[in-house]
Amino acid sequence: MLLVDFQKQLDHFSLEMQFELDREILALVGSSGSGKTTLLNCLAGIVHPDVGTISLNGQEFFSGGQKPLKIQKRKVGYLFQDYALFPHLSVEQNILYALSRGTDVSHITELTKILGITGLLGKYPHQISGGEKQRVALTRAMAVQPDILLLDEPFSALDDANRDRCQDELLRIHEKWQIPIIFVTHRIADAEKLADRILRIEKGQMTEQTVY
Amino acid sequence: MMPYDLSPLWLSLRVAVISTFFVFLVSLALARLMNRRDFFGKSFVEALILLPLVLPPTVIGFGLIVLFGVNGPLGILLEQWFGFRVVFTWIGAAIASFVVSLPLMYQSVLAAYEKVDPRWENVARTMGVSEWRIFRTITFPLAWSGILAGLILAFARGIGEFGATLMIAGYIPGVTETVPLAIYFAYEAGDMEKALFWVVIISSLGVAAITWVNYWRKKTAIRIGRE
């Protein structure tokens, strides 16, 4: 269970978030610059709130007045906008980057099959398409078996066919792994297709919550 | 047979290699600190690092003599702790090279770090990877072409250092006679042929270094590619 209740002052407004999330898929919608990515960054530990609390499955990520939990200890899978694949490493090296030798990689082998990227393992990021990058980045995020998955505009660079395919794959991953997933999107259709709940954020405020 | 004693070349190479090695280590750490941390007086610290770029070599030489001279605070410490003197030795020449080439290397490394997208490091952090391993496997390899260019610049600046070297190390043939000093004193003595010999040697080294850096940069850019 993810518990979020915090405030963070941004340049032009204050980001104020309060919600709970079980093993569901939550879509964040809202106009650009409304604070959606900052929310993901706060959950991942890249930036920190000013006051409040964030906890996941009883583990405190942030609690006002205490030292925030390090990013490395949060077990967060984060798919950045534009995917941020390491350009000097092959697809396989990207996916296995954080794993030490001898680690059981059966879940990764399965993921590469589900996502259809087995044939890309020897290639470099600049040699693969946008849709392939997205699937590689998703596999990489899942490789460390995270307790929560954060996706920042995961479908924005994809054409319709690739978008549908990636969305179906995300649903399969969620069904199998059963972890909370939060994704940012501009397309309400994506949110309606995938999410159990939709949270609209405007100028840092939660303006609307839809539960399906 | 070589027409001249080549000891100035070997000494210059030794001085430049050793000073570049320390410049490399110090610049990596300093640029990392300045790139990642904000602290009170940061601009002042950065100005101090870059100061040798704008100061006359004589001022740098004077400062080094004050610090490392037999009565200077660092000179006394080094003599007491390690039993060696800096003034009138090749170590003085290496320290002079270090000071003048540090700002060049620092600027190159800082620019190279700034080109590394922070998202790559953040992705690695979310995957539970330690800061040291992130630096070793992400930041350093992706900044490498800029760092290498800085290394070559620092080496070239170190090998060509003259003014501050003359002040702190003096001109002792066979002991502190680097190539730039050899050129100057050959010219002073009217030995134009010897001066020209060393000019050709040091210019060839410079051209080779710059050509190689340009070639390497292009090659690395192609190999790494971009997303």
Side-chain angles (χ1 to χ4, degrees), chain A residues 79 83 134 138 151-160 162-168 170 183-185 187 190-191 194:
Chain A
L79 194 151
Y83 317 127
Q134 197 261 12
L138 188 57
L151 313 169
D152 193 359
E153 306 233 17
F155 314 114
S156 61
L158 306 182
D159 58 32
D160 289 345
N162 264 315
R163 182 185 292 119
D164 284 345
R165 182 179 170 187
C166 286
Q167 288 177 352
D168 292 342
L170 187 64
F183 75 99
V184 169
T185 184
R187 284 167 48 100
D190 292 349
L194 294 172

Side-chain angles (χ1 to χ4, degrees), chain B residues 7-35:
Chain B
S7 65
L9 178 62
W10 308 133
L11 180 63
S12 285
L13 287 173
R14 177 163 39 147
V15 163
V17 166
I18 289 171
S19 78
T20 305
F21 173 73
F22 286 103
V23 160
F24 172 72
L25 294 182
V26 172
S27 298
L28 282 190
L30 262 182
R32 181 82 176 168
L33 177 76
M34 302 301 262
N35 182 229

Side-chain angles (χ1 to χ4, degrees), chain B residues 144-145 148 211-221:
Chain B
W144 173 238
S145 64
L148 182 71
T211 309
W212 190 73
V213 167
N214 286 339
Y215 166 75
W216 177 267
R217 271 182 160 172
K218 280 179 194 158
K219 196 178 158 196
T220 317

Side-chain angles (χ1 to χ4, degrees), chain B residues 137-160:
Chain B
T137 56
I138 303 292
T139 317
F140 186 80
L142 289 171
W144 173 238
S145 64
I147 292 171
L148 182 71
L151 270 177
I152 302 294
L153 274 178
F155 183 80
R157 181 67 187 88
I159 215 168

